[in-house]
Amino acid sequence: MTDDNKSREYLAAWRALCLLRQRVQALGVNHFDVPLRLADLQSAAHQTVLQLMGLAPGTADISPRQACALPDS
């Protein structure tokens, strides 16, 4: 099984439990570079973390369970 397939299965399992809505891929970087992406205010990783924390504009009033019911972004 490839890493991509493992990642998709992991995502599906978390979605089934309503614990995660989306997957953000960091193409062309290794796992050591991911924290650098979190520090970049314009990166998808940074924006996604803000959304998950309810700190992105328009997300403060959305609970994790409500967010699970939203369509995939």
Side-chain angles (χ1 to χ4, degrees):
M1 179 179 298
T2 66
D3 285 341
D4 194 48
N5 287 340
K6 289 178 194 175
S7 181
R8 289 176 201 272
E9 285 187 19
Y10 191 72
L11 175 64
W14 278 78
R15 278 185 174 166
L17 296 172
C18 199
L19 297 173
L20 187 64
R21 284 190 54 238
Q22 67 187 26
R23 171 180 140 180
V24 176
Q25 286 186 285
L27 299 175
V29 299
N30 65 48
H31 64 282
F32 294 112
D33 294 328
V34 173
L36 299 174
R37 298 291 171 114
L38 291 173
D40 177 0
L41 303 182
Q42 302 304 314
S43 73
H46 182 87
Q47 295 300 317
T48 300
V49 169
L50 288 181
Q51 289 173 357
L52 291 171
M53 295 172 64
L55 299 175
T59 60
D61 296 327
I62 300 174
S63 73
R65 291 288 176 190
Q66 290 170 319
C68 187
L70 295 172
D72 284 336
S73 49

